[in-house]
Amino acid sequence: MTSGSDASVRRAVEDAHRREWAAVLAATVRVARDLDLAEECVQDAYAAALVDWARGGVPDRPGAWLTTAARHNALDALRRAKTLRSKLHLLIEPEPRPDSGPEPESAREPAPAPDDRLRLVFLCCHPALAPAAQIALTLRLVCGVPTPDIARAFLVSEPTMAARVTRAKKKLVAARVPFRMPTPAELPDRLDSVLTTIHLLFTTGHTAPAGPTVTKDDLAGRALDLARMLHGLLPDEREVRGLLALLLANHARRATRTTENGRPSLLAEQDRTAWDQEAIAEAHELVLGALRGGDPGRYALQAAIAALHASAPTYAETDWEQILVLYDALLAIWSSPVVALNRAVAVAMVEGPGTALAEVEALEQDERLAGYRYLPAVKADLLRRLERPADAAVAYERALALADNDAERAFLTDRLAQCDTAVRAAACGPPQS
């Protein structure tokens, strides 16, 4: 152990929360057998770490310390209960026989799985829950994503999302869902939700909905780890390959997505020599495997788009025509307004910003995009390119009102100032000769 200041201990606890939360919670569920109790025990362990680590130093293995503390908290809670059945619903199988006496802890463990975090993802993605609830619960429990960030990702209010997560936990408990990996017959009912959850987690880290920075690389890294584990479990699933390829191709650009002062760096401005070429090559091979063997799924198509961006030598040499074809195929199988908005960006590159603007204005009528900050931001950029600075300024103001990420707000503020300057210059007319 190494001792340190209160500030260094707090940073160590915060870092352990980012890195270890899911693993500690998954291990505690094994003992607590109840999601709410497990969460409470883990939270108490983190609170205890603030005190104990300040006194005795930060342990060499913070995750192991927290796991031990949380499991002890759970065992203490169970010992205080009059009976296990009167207070908790089992989440672990098999159930001990009444006449067998206490079982050693190792005997109560489910069959080995690639990772307890992945096991917990599949638990949260049980078909007893609605798809949106599965994803929200997984993001909250497994990934430690704050409820406000999840609400922004789903374009709903924070109270609505908090209630959704609470109902999902109660439903899992009531259904007495076992804490184990699904059987092969059960996988199809859960796989799509698991893929969606991992993708949404990555998106939350790749472009943070709120906070001081554009990215949260720890969240994106966690999503990439889960995608790799899932690929190891299901190496022949084409959509699993597609998801891993998509995450790799996008994560390969992480070092260049912001400027030195933390502002967003547009794709056209990024230094491609700093991209992770090994990750891009791996993504390319996975894309080829995901596209073989029939009609591609949505993750395979998204991965193909990301791979085209990543493999283009320069922004000007990007194969926008092929990207537009892929977006058309993606929109045909996944009627998402966000996909339609992304497609409009490709339309602007192929057919011009005027054509793209008409499509974006049509999307403004889609209630599913109400509150989506990138809709007015894309519209503003198209209007700027069409040399309509007054209209672009209105759209930038709308995007600013929806943006909670400090770095994005700074970027939008700069663009708004440029539009205001252009409007004033136009109002003054041409210089006198």
Side-chain angles (χ1 to χ4, degrees):
M1 289 190 177
T2 56
S3 59
S5 66
D6 288 346
S8 64
V9 168
R10 184 170 295 277
R11 285 195 299 271
V13 172
E14 290 172 352
D15 183 65
H17 186 274
R18 288 191 300 270
R19 297 175 180 274
E20 307 288 354
W21 170 268
V24 175
L25 179 62
T28 308
V29 169
R30 287 176 174 271
V31 175
R33 309 182 184 188
D34 179 87
L35 286 173
D36 283 326
L37 179 60
E39 268 198 289
E40 181 181 341
C41 293
V42 172
Q43 289 166 356
D44 288 346
Y46 275 94
L50 285 170
V51 178
D52 288 12
W53 295 2
R55 183 173 58 245
V58 177
D60 295 332
R61 299 173 58 206
W65 190 100
L66 290 161
T67 298
T68 300
R71 288 165 69 97
H72 283 167
N73 291 342
L75 288 171
D76 287 343
L78 293 178
R79 291 188 188 103
R80 289 193 300 267
K82 291 183 179 179
T83 65
L84 184 61
R85 289 187 177 279
S86 69
K87 298 184 72 71
L88 303 171
H89 297 285
L90 291 178
L91 284 180
I92 300 178
E93 58 177 335
E95 190 174 329
R97 294 187 300 274
D99 60 347
S100 62
E103 287 185 300
E105 188 172 314
S106 61
R108 296 197 299 267
E109 298 292 310
D115 189 280
D116 266 350
R117 290 171 294 172
L118 193 56
R119 192 196 306 268
L120 191 55
V121 171
F122 274 99
L123 170 68
C124 294
C125 291
H126 192 275
L129 303 178
Q134 295 172 3
I135 297 167
L137 185 62
T138 306
L139 289 172
R140 180 71 195 96
L141 292 182
V142 181
C143 308
V145 179
T147 301
D149 284 358
I150 303 175
R152 291 186 190 96
F154 277 84
L155 307 180
V156 301
S157 69
E158 183 179 345
T160 297
M161 182 52 64
R164 184 178 295 175
V165 170
T166 298
R167 287 195 301 270
K169 287 195 292 186
K170 289 181 177 179
K171 193 165 186 177
L172 273 185
V173 171
R176 300 178 66 178
V177 177
F179 183 47
R180 59 164 173 77
M181 292 299 291
T183 65
E186 295 169 333
L187 272 175
D189 290 334
R190 300 199 209 176
L191 183 57
D192 186 67
S193 290
V194 171
L195 292 169
T196 302
T197 296
I198 296 173
H199 182 224
L200 188 54
L201 172 63
F202 180 82
T203 301
T204 303
H206 187 66
T207 306
T213 61
V214 174
T215 63
K216 293 183 178 179
D217 285 344
D218 57 320
L219 281 182
R222 268 185 258 175
L224 190 54
D225 286 345
L226 289 171
R228 283 198 181 281
M229 281 185 271
L230 190 61
H231 182 249
L233 178 68
L234 302 168
D236 297 326
E237 284 285 343
R238 294 166 60 210
E239 279 292 77
V240 173
R241 290 179 188 167
L243 177 66
L244 180 55
L246 173 62
L247 271 52
L248 283 166
N250 283 326
H251 203 52
R253 299 190 290 109
R254 64 190 179 279
T256 64
R257 294 188 60 245
T258 57
T259 63
E260 290 183 358
N261 61 4
R263 300 288 178 88
S265 179
L266 300 178
L267 187 60
E269 304 166 346
Q270 294 175 17
D271 178 9
R272 296 176 180 236
T273 63
W275 290 357
D276 186 343
Q277 297 301 321
E278 185 176 336
I280 292 171
E282 183 182 358
H284 179 73
E285 290 302 314
L286 287 164
V287 167
L288 293 178
L291 294 177
R292 294 192 195 101
D295 295 334
R298 60 184 173 124
Y299 293 108
L301 290 169
Q302 289 179 88
I305 293 169
L308 282 174
H309 281 298
S311 61
T314 66
Y315 185 78
E317 295 175 89
T318 302
D319 191 347
W320 287 105
E321 289 83 2
Q322 184 60 33
I323 287 174
L324 184 56
V325 169
L326 289 168
Y327 268 122
D328 287 338
L330 179 60
L331 200 56
I333 64 170
W334 187 27
S335 182
S336 162
V338 174
V339 172
L341 181 63
N342 292 336
R343 178 187 177 277
V345 174
V347 169
M349 300 303 297
V350 176
E351 301 177 18
T355 303
L357 179 61
E359 296 192 7
V360 170
E361 289 175 337
L363 286 171
E364 289 180 310
Q365 310 306 312
D366 194 322
E367 294 182 354
R368 292 174 294 175
L369 287 179
Y372 187 60
R373 66 193 188 278
Y374 294 126
L375 178 60
V378 170
K379 182 179 181 180
D381 183 65
L382 295 173
L383 289 166
R384 181 184 62 83
R385 291 164 61 184
L386 288 167
E387 299 183 353
R388 293 168 54 183
D391 294 331
V394 173
Y396 277 126
E397 288 174 348
R398 190 174 302 119
L400 262 171
L402 295 173
D404 289 320
N405 183 286
D406 295 344
E408 286 186 348
R409 288 183 60 82
F411 174 84
L412 293 170
T413 299
D414 286 347
R415 283 296 174 91
L416 177 59
Q418 293 171 15
C419 290
D420 288 340
T421 299
V423 169
R424 287 194 297 270
C428 292
Q432 296 289 329
S433 59

